[in-house]
Amino acid sequence: MNVRIQQARDVQEWMIEHRRELHRHPEVGLELPRTHDYIASTLRDLGLVGESRPAAGVTVRIPGSAPDDIVSVLRADMDALPVTERTDVPFRSTVAEAMHACGHDLHMAMLLGAAKALVDNPPRRDTVLVFQPGEESDRGALRSLEHANLTFPGQATAFALHVHALAAPGSILCRPGVFMAYGDWFTVELGGPGGHASQPHLVGNPVEAASEITIRLRELVGNLATEEHVVATVTESRIGNTVNVIPASGRLRGTLRTLTADTRTQLIGAMQDLVRDVVASHRLTGALTVHEGYPAVVNDVDFITRLETRLGQTELAGNVVAMPEPSMVIEDFAYFLRRWPGAMVYLGAQGEGNRSFNHADDVVYDESALEVGAALHLMVADGI
């Protein structure tokens, strides 16, 4: 058996214990005081003194046994989601409206497992482990990248993985180039004079305008998505507060996902035209605002090729799966890959009987994925 795979297997039960403890106590956003302390304390117990910054994560640098002037940067995200857990696992969340529904608890446990193995079996390369908060919507990567441990001169590679709740446990989904989408958020504000519900012919109705925008947005996306996948989803509508008044204002919010910068520009321009057309036809005022989100996660082709070759020489060769299309999920690991070449992969972790994707309140993950994830981190730490 490959030595790194065996080392990951040796710490499997230890990782499970930490994963479950982290799952019981989720925290949302950038301010994760308990999680920061837990990670820093666990690393100290291993003899690793890290750099810990409030709302910016924990990093630790482990010297390599035969450094080659290229640093391996390994990242795990820490934040949970504002979701009330609806599973029956014995270690379910004890925090109201907070759940590790995206699997970041597994990510932390895998990187802790790699840390434990590396204490007694140093990596070949100098390696920086990064535990990062605020991935879901707070650009926590940018704060973590300010750590002194990550401001070194010279070359590096960056690697991360993300569990996939509907992929077979232990499967490693790889893709060169665009791996995850550009992600933005939008707001449409609608305004009018408002009026009496019995006299709809006198004033424009934001409810009707919002409905038309929502329907036509789907048509617009269909027209754009001829060569690549495009997403524009309305996720929030706040209009009106009583049954006998035509409201004077309304708001729609939602998300945009594209795979190239050109398509992103086309989509935003077409949405601007759509909103102008609809508000004019309904005798309203209105405006579309697009809030820039995350850039696309773009995997380095050479890195992915080397990783697949390395895995092909181990017992994990049969676990590698080629992803035919990019994922429309977004991830702020994109900022790491803008600084250094590297990659993110999906790691299958579908729990028995689970039919829900990441973020669902009833999603269940298979903990056997922990040892595969830790093994991946260990192999990348050595350099591939």
Side-chain angles (χ1 to χ4, degrees):
M1 174 176 286
N2 175 276
V3 65
R4 287 306 195 187
I5 295 175
Q6 183 60 59
Q7 290 165 3
R9 184 165 296 177
D10 290 342
V11 297
Q12 171 70 351
E13 293 304 316
W14 187 86
M15 288 190 290
I16 289 174
E17 291 177 10
H18 286 287
R19 181 261 166 153
R20 294 184 178 185
E21 181 63 18
L22 289 161
H23 190 90
R24 290 186 187 98
H25 303 283
E27 294 176 297
V28 176
L30 284 166
E31 299 288 344
L32 315 176
R34 187 187 189 282
T35 308
H36 274 74
D37 289 347
Y38 187 91
I39 296 297
S41 174
T42 304
L43 292 172
R44 283 195 301 271
D45 290 345
L46 296 173
L48 299 171
V49 179
E51 177 184 353
S52 184
R53 296 189 180 192
V58 181
T59 61
V60 63
R61 182 163 181 148
I62 302 176
S65 60
D68 58 4
D69 296 326
I70 300 176
V71 177
S72 292
V73 176
L74 309 176
R75 177 271 212 168
D77 35 14
M78 303 164 70
D79 52 324
L81 287 159
V83 171
T84 298
E85 183 162 2
R86 191 169 57 85
T87 75
D88 59 0
V89 298
F91 50 89
R92 59 185 170 272
S93 172
T94 62
V95 181
E97 298 183 0
M99 176 190 176
H100 273 297
C102 201
H104 297 183
D105 52 333
L106 288 100
H107 299 168
M108 288 184 281
M110 292 170 194
L111 198 54
L112 286 174
K116 183 174 176 61
L118 291 174
V119 167
D120 296 323
N121 307 278
R124 185 177 65 82
R125 282 182 173 173
D126 286 356
T127 298
V128 179
L129 311 183
V130 183
F131 296 86
Q132 175 216 305
E135 181 278 322
E136 293 293 352
S137 59
D138 295 294
R139 304 178 202 271
L142 294 177
R143 291 174 178 248
S144 290
L145 284 167
E146 295 176 355
H147 276 233
N149 280 328
L150 292 172
T151 56
F152 51 82
Q155 299 181 349
T157 62
F159 177 75
L161 54 84
H162 203 299
V163 291
H164 192 303
L166 293 176
S171 57
I172 304 166
L173 285 65
C174 300
R175 177 178 171 80
V178 177
F179 181 74
M180 289 182 178
Y182 288 89
D184 300 292
W185 298 275
F186 69 86
T187 303
V188 177
E189 298 286 354
L190 301 169
H196 199 289
S198 68
Q199 305 293 309
H201 58 289
L202 297 180
V203 296
N205 190 334
V207 176
E208 295 174 357
S211 298
E212 183 174 343
I213 289 171
T214 302
I215 292 170
R216 288 179 58 181
L217 187 57
R218 298 191 69 175
E219 297 172 356
L220 183 157
V221 166
N223 292 334
L224 280 179
T226 55
E227 296 184 4
E228 65 184 63
H229 201 26
V230 178
V231 172
T233 306
V234 175
T235 57
E236 178 186 288
S237 176
R238 292 177 180 252
I239 309 175
N241 60 2
T242 189
V243 297
N244 58 355
V245 176
I246 295 172
S249 64
R251 184 181 75 181
L252 297 176
R253 293 203 304 167
T255 187
L256 308 178
R257 306 290 170 91
T258 53
L259 297 176
T260 64
D262 286 346
T263 302
R264 178 180 180 273
T265 299
Q266 291 179 46
L267 174 60
I268 293 172
M271 287 179 66
Q272 295 279 14
D273 293 341
L274 169 61
V275 171
R276 278 194 296 266
D277 179 47
V278 172
V279 298
S281 68
H282 285 268
R283 296 172 293 159
L284 298 168
T285 60
L288 167 72
T289 302
V290 175
H291 313 275
E292 184 178 352
Y294 294 167
V297 175
V298 182
N299 286 342
D300 182 77
V301 175
D302 290 341
F303 185 96
I304 280 288
T305 299
R306 296 196 305 271
L307 177 62
E308 291 178 334
T309 299
R310 181 75 180 93
L311 292 171
Q313 300 166 347
T314 74
E315 299 89 326
L316 295 178
N319 296 46
V320 178
V321 178
M323 276 178 59
E325 301 290 339
S327 169
M328 300 309 289
V329 169
I330 62 173
E331 242 283 358
D332 74 350
F333 186 64
Y335 294 110
F336 282 78
L337 295 180
R338 283 188 162 189
R339 180 174 294 186
W340 304 294
M344 170 173 271
V345 301
Y346 269 131
L347 177 60
Q350 184 175 24
E352 184 177 359
N354 177 69
R355 298 182 182 277
S356 298
F357 189 50
N358 304 48
H359 288 210
D361 61 4
D362 63 345
V363 66
V364 177
Y365 295 98
D366 190 322
E367 292 175 325
S368 68
L370 290 170
E371 64 181 62
V372 179
L376 286 170
H377 284 308
L378 292 170
M379 283 187 271
V380 173
D382 287 331
I384 56 168

